[in-house]
Structures are given as structure tokens and as C-alpha cells.
Amino acid sequence: MNNGKMGFFFIGAILLIGVLASSLFVVNQWEMAIKLQFGKIVDSEYTPGLHFKIPLIQNVKKFDGRIQTMNSNPERFLTIEKKDVIVDAYAKWRITNAAQYFRSTGDNVATATRLLTERITTSLRDEFGKRTIQEVISGERAEIMALLTKDADEKASELGIEVLDVRVKQIDLPTEVSQSVYDRMRAERERVAADLRAQGAEAGEKIRADADAQRVVILANAYKGSEEIRGEGDGLSAEIYANAFRKNAEFYAFYRSLNAYGKTFNNDGNMMVLDPDSEFFRYFKSAEGKK
């Protein structure tokens, strides 16, 4: 009898331990949880730690509360110019409301991904539809990403999801659009290059004109200085000659006559018609008289 009671005791203890174990559940630091009773949510505000539930009547659903990455397939969008661009984007998101997430997706990852992709795609289409290809490709990228993140987060809030960041990995142009965009970019670069060359030519002309003006001024000042020096030298030379020849006027007259004779009879065939009694032949006469 005692052995039977002991057996029942052990069986009861084991059942009690099993019931207690099934009534406890742990929520980890990175998890979010909801408690269901007959398929209805009865509680969703769980902090990390140990919690209780009613065995067989209540069950617990856990969700990963960490940041997750959603990669979407490249999509084709129209810009404001009605030109196509192919956009490859991804998003960073996490669950913020476990109860709402469960109601919206039924704890189905594929459903959650599809619903989130639809909302992000809608945000991308709206933002790209407001801009030109030039703005999308080369400018306003940071502004576009911020607006995309804000709009996608607002749309995803009804799913119990917070969108933390939306990023465009790559923007491609369809073949039929690429050439026209490249031609436009080339024309723009050529226009800028032509403007720069024109500005350079204008600056060059100004520099050359200024250099020419400075050259004229420098040469004029140099010529003026040289003429002044030459004049001073000529004056000083004349003064020296005058002082020298003043000491013997007759010799000076004779010296000048010799210079005149040398210049006059320097070349063959020179012919002059002069009066033999003229002053020019004075020293010839003196020479003859001495003979």
C-alpha cells in the first residue's frame, strides 16, 4: 500500500512539474511575444524574462525583434519626364508592434515581405515620379533616401513594422534611354568646356593686352631715359670738344676741314663744281702758297 502511494506521489509530482514547465515561457532580449487564447490575442506587452501562461488553453508566439534586411527585385519606375529607370533597392526594418504584425501577416514571413515590398515600391514610385533622370542619378540622393524612408515607414506602420532605412543600391537606365541621357550629358559637358575655353581665351586676351601695354610703357620709358642720357652725353661731349678746340681755333678749323675732305673724296667718281677761291679750298691754297 505504501509502495502504491509512493508511486502515485511520484506520478503526481512528475505531472505537476510538467504542468508547471508548460505554464512557463521565456522571452529573450531580442524577441517580442504575444499570448493567444483560443486564437485570440490576450497579451502582447512582454519584457525580456520569465512569464506564465495557462497550459493547453493559452499558447505563445515569438517574433524576432532585431533589425532585418529586405532585398527587393529591381523595379522599373517612370520619372517626371516619362522616362524609365530600373531601381534596385533594399530596406532595413524591424517589428515594433507584435500584435499588429500578427494580425496583419498571420505570422507568415512571406506575407510580411510581400506587404512591406508593396509599400516600399509605392514610395519609390512616388518619389521617382517627382524627379528628372538627372536629379535621380546625380543629385538629391540623400534627400530622396530620407523621404523614401519616412514615407515607407508611415505606410508600414499599419503592419506593426518600423522602416529604419531605405537605400537604393543601383539605378540603371534601359538601353533606349541610356544613349539619350549620355548624349545630353556629353552635350552639357561640351557646353561647359566651351564656356571655360571662352573664359580662358578672354582672360588670355586681357593678359596679352596688359602685357603689350606694359611693354609699350617700358620701351617708351627706356627710350626716354636713353635719349636723356644720350643728350647729356652729347652735351658733355660737345662741351669737352668746345673746351679742347677753344684752346687752338685754327687747329680745330683745320681738323674739321680734313674731316670734310675725307667725307667728300671718299668714293671714286665724285664730282663737285666749286669756285677755286671758295673757303672750302682754303687749306689747298695755303699748301700751294707754301710751295
Side-chain angles (χ1 to χ4, degrees):
M1 185 69 180
N2 289 335
N3 290 335
K5 287 182 180 180
M6 288 296 292
F8 281 117
F9 175 76
F10 282 117
I11 292 172
I14 291 171
L15 291 174
L16 180 61
I17 292 172
V19 169
L20 289 175
S22 62
S23 66
L24 298 174
F25 65 95
V26 176
V27 178
N28 292 309
Q29 193 75 27
W30 63 86
E31 291 179 325
M32 303 180 75
I34 59 172
K35 184 190 292 182
L36 301 173
Q37 183 171 312
F38 303 117
K40 294 184 179 181
I41 300 173
V42 293
D43 198 356
S44 61
E45 300 296 330
Y46 287 106
T47 57
L50 186 65
H51 301 278
F52 297 92
K53 66 176 180 176
I54 301 174
L56 304 177
I57 296 176
Q58 296 176 336
N59 65 307
V60 174
K61 290 280 187 182
K62 296 180 182 180
F63 308 97
D64 192 342
R66 292 173 293 188
I67 295 175
Q68 302 182 55
T69 301
M70 186 211 72
N71 287 296
S72 61
N73 294 323
E75 293 282 345
R76 181 179 290 226
F77 302 115
L78 281 175
T79 65
I80 196 172
E81 305 163 300
K82 305 302 180 185
K83 299 290 182 64
D84 287 333
V85 289
I86 300 173
V87 181
D88 188 6
Y90 72 92
K92 295 288 186 181
W93 63 279
R94 66 183 175 189
I95 300 170
T96 54
N97 189 323
Q100 185 64 30
Y101 177 79
F102 180 77
R103 294 189 192 99
S104 302
T105 66
D107 192 24
N108 188 305
V109 176
T111 301
T113 302
R114 177 178 59 80
L115 293 174
L116 183 59
T117 300
E118 289 175 356
R119 283 158 176 77
I120 291 176
T121 299
T122 301
S123 298
L124 285 166
R125 182 176 293 106
D126 292 343
E127 290 302 324
F128 277 75
K130 299 174 185 176
R131 290 170 172 80
T132 64
I133 291 180
Q134 183 72 19
E135 293 170 342
V136 166
I137 293 177
S138 61
E140 303 184 6
R141 292 291 290 274
E143 179 184 351
I144 293 174
M145 296 304 101
L147 292 173
L148 278 173
T149 301
K150 181 180 179 181
D151 188 56
D153 182 51
E154 292 175 355
K155 288 182 171 67
S157 61
E158 61 187 20
L159 303 177
I161 291 173
E162 178 187 9
V163 177
L164 301 173
D165 195 14
V166 177
R167 291 288 165 179
V168 173
K169 292 188 289 185
Q170 187 174 354
I171 299 176
D172 289 327
L173 298 173
T175 305
E176 64 273 15
V177 177
S178 298
Q179 190 58 46
S180 63
V181 172
Y182 294 150
D183 290 343
R184 185 183 306 172
M185 293 175 67
R186 185 182 298 109
E188 177 65 18
R189 298 283 78 77
E190 289 176 353
R191 184 191 65 78
V192 172
D195 288 344
L196 292 175
R197 281 194 292 268
Q199 293 174 11
E202 181 182 358
E205 288 297 325
K206 290 181 179 178
I207 292 171
R208 280 190 290 272
D210 184 60
D212 290 341
Q214 293 183 29
R215 173 178 172 274
V216 171
V217 172
I218 291 170
L219 289 175
N221 290 334
Y223 181 75
K224 177 184 176 183
S226 67
E227 289 298 313
E228 290 177 350
I229 294 171
R230 185 179 292 111
E232 292 175 358
D234 290 343
L236 181 61
S237 174
E239 183 179 356
I240 292 172
Y241 277 118
N243 292 333
F245 292 135
R246 191 180 296 117
K247 295 179 180 179
N248 192 334
E250 183 61 27
F251 175 76
Y252 174 62
F254 176 68
Y255 176 74
R256 291 197 61 184
S257 295
L258 289 178
N259 287 335
Y261 296 153
K263 291 179 180 179
T264 302
F265 304 113
N266 186 34
N267 297 320
D268 295 337
N270 291 335
M271 183 174 66
M272 300 176 59
V273 180
L274 295 172
D275 184 357
D277 296 327
S278 66
E279 185 66 22
F280 184 75
F281 294 111
R282 181 175 54 145
Y283 291 103
F284 284 97
K285 293 177 182 179
S286 299
E288 291 177 356
K290 291 177 180 179
K291 288 180 179 180

